[in-house]
Amino acid sequence: MLRVIILMLTFVFPIGIHAEEVAPKNKTEETADVNNKVVIELKAQLQEMKIRNDLLENYQSSLLSTVHWSLSFMGGIALLLIGYGWWSNSKIHEKDKQQLKQEIATLLGEWEIKIKSDNADVINEQAKTIENRLIRVDEQVREVEKSFDNKLTRIDEQVREVEKSFDNKLEKIFSESKKLHEKLAMNVESMASQISILSVGQIHLEGSMLHVEERVWDIKGVTQNILLTQTQGLDAAIKLGSDYGYRVDTVLERIKETLEKLIKSKNPTARPYLVNRLKQSLNSLDSVYSVKVSEILGILETIRVEEVKSSS
């Protein structure tokens, strides 16, 4: 666009100058001629510019194609160079690795030889020191064993002495315990005999008291109380056992006499508690007294039992 404007200005200014120099003509004709010339020149310039633009486009397209081709060619060359460099570097690295491995292996072998030689000397020295220490420890262990054996013998002697003294003490304790046991047995027997004597005396005392009570009720003439007291005396005589059987006989005789008196009385009746208590005591007697017991039970059958009055 700038070129077009510049061309238009170049054409306009000379035309104006030429118009001033020409002799005076008709202004309308002159302007028409000038305009026609300008249009023709502009058309020619436009055509020329189109041709130039086409040439520029062709040149630019060819230039771009050459640039693309050159870039692709350079990229391919770069890839080839990179691949070749990688391949050569890998080969070089493998060689370097093998050389390093060989050097490391040789160094390790040398170090192993040195270490083995050094260790052999150290091991020999340590073995000697260990042997010396073992000898010392063995001597110390023997000394400890000797002292331990001596202590064990002393302890054994002390234990034997303690056992002897303990056996003597046990014998003394056993003999004393025997004596105490015999004394205790004698005391227990004496206490048992005393208890039996006391119990017999208590029963005798109870029987004598019941006999006195029986006499009192006999004096008062209360027959049923006499029978109750005689029944209690029969129980006391039964407690004394067979050694005092004569008391049972005497009590049975008195019970029989009392029952006969009760039958001959005006009101031959007895309380049910008294009858049951007397029967229970008679049934607890041995078969030795069966004759007298049967006689007393026969008399009891003839006696009328009082009826128990229910309290309303």
Side-chain angles (χ1 to χ4, degrees):
M1 290 296 290
L2 290 171
R3 289 179 180 179
V4 172
I5 293 166
I6 291 165
L7 289 171
M8 288 175 69
L9 290 172
T10 53
F11 284 112
V12 168
F13 286 109
I15 291 167
I17 295 165
H18 182 71
E20 290 178 355
E21 291 178 355
V22 177
K25 291 182 179 180
N26 192 359
K27 290 182 180 180
T28 57
E29 290 178 358
E30 288 178 357
T31 55
D33 292 332
V34 170
N35 289 327
N36 289 324
K37 288 179 181 181
V38 170
V39 170
I40 291 165
E41 288 179 358
L42 288 172
K43 286 181 180 179
Q45 289 178 0
L46 286 171
Q47 189 67 32
E48 186 179 356
M49 289 177 71
K50 285 181 181 180
I51 292 165
R52 287 180 180 177
N53 286 326
D54 292 332
L55 291 172
L56 286 170
E57 287 178 358
N58 292 324
Y59 176 73
Q60 287 177 357
S61 62
S62 63
L63 183 63
L64 287 171
S65 63
T66 53
V67 168
H68 287 299
W69 181 82
S70 61
L71 288 173
S72 61
F73 179 73
M74 292 297 289
I77 291 168
L79 290 172
L80 289 172
L81 291 172
I82 290 166
Y84 178 74
W86 177 78
W87 179 75
S88 62
N89 287 325
S90 64
K91 292 290 184 180
I92 292 165
H93 284 302
E94 287 179 357
K95 290 179 180 179
D96 292 335
K97 286 179 182 178
Q98 290 178 358
Q99 289 178 359
L100 287 171
K101 286 180 180 179
Q102 289 177 358
E103 290 177 357
I104 290 165
T106 53
L107 288 171
L108 288 173
E110 292 176 356
W111 277 103
E112 284 180 358
I113 293 165
K114 289 180 181 180
I115 289 165
K116 285 180 180 179
S117 62
D118 295 334
N119 286 329
D121 296 332
V122 172
I123 288 165
N124 291 323
E125 291 178 357
Q126 289 179 355
K128 289 179 181 179
T129 55
I130 289 165
E131 286 178 358
N132 294 323
R133 287 180 181 177
L134 287 172
I135 291 164
R136 291 176 184 174
V137 170
D138 192 7
E139 291 176 354
Q140 291 176 358
V141 168
R142 287 178 182 176
E143 291 177 356
V144 170
E145 285 179 352
K146 288 179 181 179
S147 64
F148 188 70
D149 291 332
N150 294 324
K151 288 180 180 179
L152 282 175
T153 52
R154 290 176 184 174
I155 291 166
D156 193 8
E157 291 175 355
Q158 290 176 0
V159 168
R160 287 178 182 176
E161 291 177 357
V162 170
E163 285 179 353
K164 287 180 181 179
S165 63
F166 187 71
D167 291 334
N168 294 324
K169 288 180 181 179
L170 281 176
E171 288 178 357
K172 289 179 182 179
I173 291 166
F174 185 69
S175 62
E176 290 177 358
S177 64
K178 274 186 176 180
K179 291 178 182 179
L180 288 172
H181 183 69
E182 290 174 356
K183 287 181 181 179
L184 286 171
M186 292 173 67
N187 290 326
V188 168
E189 288 177 358
S190 64
M191 287 176 70
S193 63
Q194 289 176 3
I195 289 167
S196 63
I197 291 166
L198 287 172
S199 62
V200 170
Q202 185 179 0
I203 294 168
H204 274 292
L205 181 62
E206 185 179 356
S208 61
M209 288 177 68
L210 290 170
H211 187 65
V212 172
E213 187 179 355
E214 180 184 347
R215 291 293 181 88
V216 171
W217 291 120
D218 189 12
I219 292 167
K220 290 182 179 181
V222 183
T223 307
Q224 292 191 10
N225 289 340
I226 294 168
L227 280 173
L228 181 60
T229 306
Q230 288 174 350
T231 304
Q232 292 174 354
L234 180 62
D235 292 334
I238 291 167
K239 288 179 182 178
L240 290 173
S242 60
D243 294 334
Y244 299 90
Y246 67 93
R247 292 180 66 87
V248 176
D249 290 330
T250 55
V251 174
L252 289 174
E253 289 292 335
R254 291 203 306 272
I255 290 169
K256 184 179 178 182
E257 290 175 359
T258 304
L259 288 173
E260 288 175 352
K261 287 180 182 179
L262 183 63
I263 290 168
K264 292 176 182 180
S265 65
K266 294 179 181 180
N267 188 15
T269 58
R271 292 191 294 272
Y273 169 74
L274 178 60
V275 174
N276 292 326
R277 175 74 182 277
L278 182 58
K279 285 181 179 180
Q280 186 177 1
S281 299
L282 291 171
N283 290 323
S284 65
L285 289 170
D286 294 332
S287 61
V288 178
Y289 309 101
S290 60
V291 177
K292 292 182 180 180
V293 169
S294 61
E295 290 176 357
I296 293 168
L297 289 173
I299 295 168
L300 278 174
E301 293 295 330
T302 60
I303 295 171
R304 186 167 55 85
V305 180
E306 294 179 357
E307 293 181 358
V308 180
K309 294 180 180 180
S310 60
S311 60
S312 58

